[in-house]
Amino acid sequence: MGKHEKLLLKILSGTSDANIQFEDLCSLLKHLGFDMRVKGSHHIFRKEAVIEKINLQREGNMAKPYQVKQVRNVIVKYKLGGTVDV
C-alpha cells in the first residue's frame, strides 16, 4: 500500500483529523487530480467534476482538523477514494 493510499485510509477513517500533515494532504489532493492555486496563505484546490472548492490553510505543519473533515466529505461525496474501503 502506497503513501497516498495510507493517507486516504487515515482521512476516511475520521479518527485522526488533527494528525494530518498539511503537505501530505496537499499532495493527496494533487494525486486525486485537483489543481492547486496559492493566494497568500490559502491553498485552493479545484477539480472539474467537483462543485466545491477546497480551501486549506496550514496550522504549523499540520492541516486544520475541520478542513480535513471537509476534504473527507468531498472524497466520499464524489467517490474519489477508488477501491479504498474503510
Side-chain angles (χ1 to χ4, degrees), residues 10-59:
K10 191 175 180 182
I11 291 170
L12 291 175
S13 74
T15 58
S16 56
D17 289 353
N19 293 322
I20 305 291
Q21 294 281 328
F22 180 81
E23 292 300 328
D24 291 344
L25 185 57
C26 289
S27 175
L28 175 66
L29 288 171
K30 288 185 218 172
H31 178 75
L32 292 174
F34 284 83
D35 295 319
M36 182 176 79
R37 181 179 67 127
V38 179
K39 189 168 188 177
S41 64
H42 296 261
H43 292 67
I44 301 161
F45 293 87
R46 299 290 310 219
K47 184 174 169 110
E48 186 159 327
V50 177
I51 297 168
E52 296 86 354
K53 66 179 171 188
I54 299 172
N55 185 355
L56 303 179
Q57 298 114 349
R58 64 175 68 238
E59 191 167 86

